[in-house]
Amino acid sequence: MTETDQRAFFNSNQLPMLLQFQLHFSGLNPKLISPMIKLLSILILVFISYFPAINGEFIWDDDAFLTNNPIMANPDALKRFWVTTEAPDYFPLVSTSLWLQRLIWDLNPMGYHIFNIVLHAFNAVMLWLILCKLRFRGAWLAAVIFAVHPVHVESVAWITEIKNLQSTFFFMLSLICYLNFTNSQKKQWYLFSGIFFFMALLSKTSVVMLPLILLLYHWWSDGSLRKKQLINTIPFFVFSAIFSAVTIWFQYNRAGAVGEPWSAGLLERILVAGRAVWFYMGKLVFPLDLMFIYPRWSIEPQKLSSYIPTAALIVIIVFFWNKRKTWWGSPILAGSGYFVINLFPVLGFFNIYFMRYSLVADHWQYLASPGIIVMFVWIVTLLLDYSSLAQSPDGAAIEEGQVQLKKYLKVSLGMLLLGFLAFSTFHRAKIFKKNFSIWEDTLLKNPGAWMAHNNMGIELEKQGKLNEAIKHYKETLRLNPRYVIAYNNLGLALKQKGDFEEAAIYFREAIRNNSKFWESLNNLGYVLNTLGRVEEAASYFEQALAINPFSVEAHNNLANILDAKGKIEEAKKHYKKALSIDPENAKIHNNLGTLFQEEKEYLKAINHLQKALQLKPDFKEARQSLSIVMEQYRKAEAKRNK
């Protein structure tokens, strides 16, 4: 077999003579369409499809990773991202990317959204390049489907999911370099491939399956695996093992993916995995009723029906494995193999925090989706071109006019498909513009999504609709009585209404369900302090800080009590600690400035109060305090100069 045949998506020598035809889904002469036009068409379609997302806001989880992440504003942010375990996940290259973007456009979400869209467009272009290297017929169409498929909106329109986009970007660069290495045997391509894979892992560890994808490529192109090929992938496997262990540790110890929601046994996890594969495949082929949170399945091993998806998947895999030497079995097995292999980390065998809400999520199949897309395009292209090769009994080709008609028909079908996908993506991108529309859409499709009820309550509370917010918090607790965040949020809403005694009840309930929930410990301390139970309040602030010494609010609240009790030095210590965590906190600067004012350290007071106003120009309390301090300072200086 020649090198070109090895890289073809199927071996033309194995095809019936009827099918030995240059397959082109577009039906247009490739000599008339330059690669530059195809490239520009991908970029333009991506930007049109995702245009609504450009003006989108920050949404759920963007606060934890970006807007309210105290590490982001810290002078030693990069050090803390790379060599500490403070971040929710160990994705330091993504954290660095967000940190750099924040330097460029601060907290203007438009810049982040444009960056995500551009990165997705680059990923689509690189997929096209990879498929061209593999001599895949229909490479451009597969890349465009990937570019405008609505199942990817969650990864592109959600700023935090730059994790998916950036890791896939480096994954594809690594794969391109590896393909260059196998074709040229130049070691620098192998080195570049390893470097880009390392960068992909530092962006998100969902790319850990690359070594198996490399082996799949060797098997598909050569029909077998050689010792040298296995040796070449060993460094990749080592990287994958190390980063897999790191991610598992973070999910268990930092994200908190332990406990009842993740208590399923091995059999249940296998059944979930089988159902999940079909689910993801279904959403790629029929992208309807896409949701931010899908209903969480209840797998019952005692029911025979629970085994059907996994059993069917095994039967199909065995069938195509037995047909692997046929001209059609090998490509189908390769495409579906790429899909399942890259899905493996999110099929439920490992604990992932988001699985407490749903066992599946659209953004989890971003990297895997090309496998099914490519296989779908190949099958459809094959069927359409087969139908266009109808011959007369004596073997003569059908008339040229009929051939052209069928080519135009294929072009029309392709345009309809891309139009449907692009329209669906455009519509779904509009939903991702705001938190409110995300939760509204989710609850419309999945009213049992207790987390969506909780987050809808937060959005209604922002709008001042406290009574409606309280209803959603209570519905959350009805659906999930152990969700401590909802107890905390309900307490906060009641506190805002002035119902401090009732708020304290829900904060205590949150603590009862999770004694280490420091947010409720801090909030309970606040309402108790407001009710005049100062000593009890201080003890709760201390408990909160024992659990989370990086809580700015708890440091501030405890410092306020210490200041009121005359323990000035201890109060200073907590204010300064709070500022070391969040140096851009106007409230802390104001409080520390007021404390220095009380001690008649006017210059220090002025410095902090001016900083507070610089950060928050409409801070009335700081402005009034600064006016008083400036007057006191002038009088003190005048008295000293007499």
Side-chain angles (χ1 to χ4, degrees):
M1 188 186 296
T2 66
E3 181 179 320
T4 301
D5 287 332
Q6 288 175 339
R7 290 187 308 220
F9 205 75
F10 53 83
N11 184 353
S12 61
N13 293 329
Q14 294 175 310
L15 289 173
M17 183 173 293
L18 179 65
L19 294 179
Q20 290 189 27
F21 181 81
Q22 174 67 33
L23 301 179
H24 249 297
F25 186 84
S26 66
L28 299 174
N29 187 345
K31 294 180 180 179
L32 301 179
I33 303 178
S34 70
M36 183 58 69
I37 293 177
K38 289 187 175 183
L39 169 65
L40 290 174
S41 64
I42 292 176
L43 300 178
I44 291 170
L45 282 170
V46 168
F47 272 90
I48 291 174
S49 301
Y50 283 97
F51 183 76
I54 291 176
N55 291 315
E57 301 175 354
F58 294 111
I59 61 172
W60 184 71
D61 236 22
D62 288 342
D63 55 350
F65 279 86
L66 179 61
T67 59
N68 294 336
N69 184 351
I71 303 177
M72 281 287 173
N74 201 285
D76 61 346
L78 294 182
K79 175 184 176 183
R80 293 165 74 173
F81 286 139
W82 287 86
V83 298
T84 75
T85 60
E86 294 178 35
D89 288 295
Y90 189 71
F91 303 147
L93 201 55
V94 157
S95 297
T96 301
S97 176
L98 290 172
W99 180 81
L100 289 171
Q101 290 187 69
R102 184 162 173 169
L103 290 179
I104 299 170
W105 30 71
D106 195 24
L107 292 180
N108 180 356
M110 180 181 289
Y112 300 91
H113 283 299
I114 292 174
F115 188 85
N116 273 20
I117 293 170
V118 169
L119 204 50
H120 175 60
F122 283 176
N123 288 343
V125 170
M126 284 196 293
L127 175 61
W128 174 44
L129 295 177
I130 290 170
L131 295 177
C132 287
K133 281 183 172 292
L134 297 175
R135 300 292 192 268
F136 171 67
R137 282 95 170 183
W140 179 83
L141 179 63
V144 176
I145 290 176
F146 173 83
V148 300
H149 201 292
V151 82
H152 296 145
V153 171
E154 197 168 292
S155 293
V156 182
W158 184 5
I159 290 172
T160 297
E161 281 310 309
I162 186 180
K163 297 177 289 186
N164 261 352
L165 305 172
Q166 187 170 302
S167 60
T168 300
F169 176 78
F170 289 120
F171 176 97
M172 289 187 174
L173 280 177
S174 177
L175 189 53
I176 289 172
C177 291
Y178 192 86
L179 292 176
N180 288 342
F181 165 69
T182 58
N183 293 334
S184 68
Q185 292 301 307
K186 293 182 178 179
K187 292 183 179 179
Q188 61 264 37
W189 287 118
Y190 181 77
L191 178 62
F192 286 141
S193 179
I195 291 172
F196 286 132
F197 180 48
F198 187 65
M199 295 174 75
L201 290 167
L202 290 169
S203 300
K204 189 178 182 182
T205 43
S206 58
V207 298
V208 292
M209 306 308 288
L210 178 64
L212 289 178
I213 299 302
L214 299 180
L215 293 179
L216 177 67
Y217 160 72
H218 285 304
W219 167 81
W220 166 73
S221 61
D222 297 341
S224 62
L225 292 176
R226 302 169 186 165
K227 182 179 179 180
K228 184 179 180 181
Q229 294 167 344
L230 293 171
I231 293 173
N232 286 339
T233 60
I234 288 176
F236 293 86
F237 276 107
V238 172
F239 283 156
S240 290
I242 293 172
F243 278 88
S244 295
V246 169
T247 297
I248 291 171
W249 185 92
F250 266 81
Q251 284 295 313
Y252 277 77
N253 295 279
R254 292 291 288 116
V258 292
E260 191 273 332
W262 303 274
S263 61
L266 179 59
L267 176 59
E268 292 172 274
R269 291 175 186 256
I270 292 173
L271 298 180
V272 165
R275 184 171 175 180
V277 170
W278 288 110
F279 171 87
Y280 287 123
M281 194 181 302
K283 291 300 178 184
L284 282 171
V285 179
F286 303 104
L288 305 174
D289 291 327
L290 300 178
M291 306 179 204
F292 191 73
I293 301 175
Y294 292 95
R296 198 176 193 274
W297 307 324
S298 177
I299 301 296
E300 302 177 56
Q302 66 272 21
K303 290 187 177 181
L304 184 62
S305 58
S306 298
Y307 294 80
I308 294 175
T310 304
L313 183 64
I314 293 172
V315 168
I316 289 175
I317 290 173
V318 170
F319 173 78
F320 283 110
W321 177 255
N322 289 333
K323 300 295 182 180
R324 66 190 182 277
K325 294 184 179 180
T326 64
W327 64 268
W328 52 270
S330 174
I332 291 178
L333 195 61
S336 57
Y338 175 94
F339 180 68
V340 175
I341 288 170
N342 276 317
L343 277 180
F344 181 77
V346 295
L347 290 180
F349 293 106
F350 307 101
N351 292 358
I352 300 174
Y353 186 79
F354 190 84
M355 285 184 174
R356 70 180 305 182
Y357 312 122
S358 176
L359 297 174
V360 289
D362 288 343
H363 65 276
W364 284 344
Q365 67 162 319
Y366 182 82
L367 179 63
S369 63
I372 295 300
I373 291 172
V374 168
M375 187 172 67
F376 170 80
V377 170
W378 179 75
I379 292 173
V380 172
T381 302
L382 182 67
L383 292 175
L384 291 174
D385 278 302
Y386 181 87
S387 67
S388 71
L389 293 176
Q391 292 181 319
S392 61
D394 61 357
I398 61 176
E399 294 181 5
E400 183 179 350
Q402 291 178 302
V403 173
Q404 290 298 322
L405 179 63
K406 291 194 175 185
K407 287 182 178 181
Y408 290 129
L409 177 63
K410 288 185 286 182
V411 172
S412 299
L413 289 174
M415 291 177 66
L416 284 173
L417 173 62
L418 294 178
F420 167 74
L421 293 176
F423 175 79
S424 300
T425 295
F426 187 90
H427 176 71
R428 185 135 185 87
K430 289 194 290 186
I431 293 172
F432 272 75
K433 288 182 69 173
K434 295 183 178 181
N435 266 322
F436 187 88
S437 56
I438 291 174
W439 306 127
E440 185 179 45
D441 178 75
T442 301
L443 290 174
L444 181 67
K445 298 171 181 175
N446 180 16
W450 47 268
M451 193 268 275
H453 277 290
N454 175 74
N455 290 354
M456 178 61 88
I458 294 173
E459 294 307 308
L460 290 167
E461 192 173 340
K462 290 177 183 176
Q463 297 174 18
K465 301 176 180 178
L466 288 177
N467 290 332
E468 292 181 47
I470 288 170
K471 288 180 182 178
H472 278 282
Y473 293 141
K474 289 184 175 179
E475 178 64 10
T476 302
L477 293 171
R478 186 189 70 80
L479 293 167
N480 185 359
R482 299 183 63 183
Y483 189 43
V484 295
I485 292 176
Y487 284 113
N488 187 68
N489 288 342
L490 181 52
L492 288 171
L494 291 166
K495 183 192 81 170
Q496 193 172 338
K497 287 186 69 177
D499 298 336
F500 296 113
E501 291 287 0
E502 190 177 357
I505 293 172
Y506 287 103
F507 291 138
R508 291 186 191 277
E509 191 64 25
I511 296 166
R512 188 182 69 81
N513 280 277
N514 183 355
S515 61
K516 295 188 180 296
F517 191 50
W518 63 268
E519 291 96 331
S520 284
L521 287 165
N522 176 65
N523 292 330
L524 179 57
Y526 181 91
V527 297
L528 291 175
N529 187 41
T530 304
L531 291 168
R533 293 149 67 175
V534 178
E535 293 300 326
E536 191 178 358
S539 71
Y540 281 109
F541 294 140
E542 289 169 352
Q543 290 178 56
L545 289 171
I547 296 166
N548 180 17
F550 299 101
S551 170
V552 173
E553 283 296 315
H555 278 294
N556 178 64
N557 291 335
L558 182 55
N560 289 341
I561 288 179
L562 293 169
D563 182 19
K565 292 171 69 175
K567 298 182 179 180
I568 304 301
E569 291 305 317
E570 291 183 52
K572 281 183 187 176
K573 181 182 71 174
H574 285 284
Y575 283 137
K576 289 179 179 179
K577 179 63 177 177
L579 284 178
S580 71
I581 300 167
D582 184 8
E584 304 294 298
N585 192 306
K587 181 170 64 175
I588 310 297
H589 279 290
N590 176 70
N591 291 345
L592 188 53
T594 303
L595 184 60
F596 281 125
Q597 177 193 6
E598 293 170 3
E599 290 219 295
K600 298 183 179 180
E601 296 187 50
Y602 298 125
L603 289 177
K604 291 182 180 178
I606 290 169
N607 180 54
H608 283 286
L609 292 170
Q610 286 178 336
K611 181 67 174 177
L613 286 169
Q614 179 186 340
L615 295 167
K616 188 178 179 183
D618 60 344
F619 200 161
K620 292 181 180 180
E621 185 181 343
R623 191 170 299 280
Q624 291 169 356
S625 296
L626 180 59
S627 178
I628 294 170
V629 173
M630 292 291 285
E631 181 61 28
Q632 290 174 336
Y633 176 66
R634 281 195 294 269
K635 288 181 180 180
E637 284 295 293
K639 184 177 179 180
R640 187 169 64 85
N641 291 330
K642 283 184 179 179

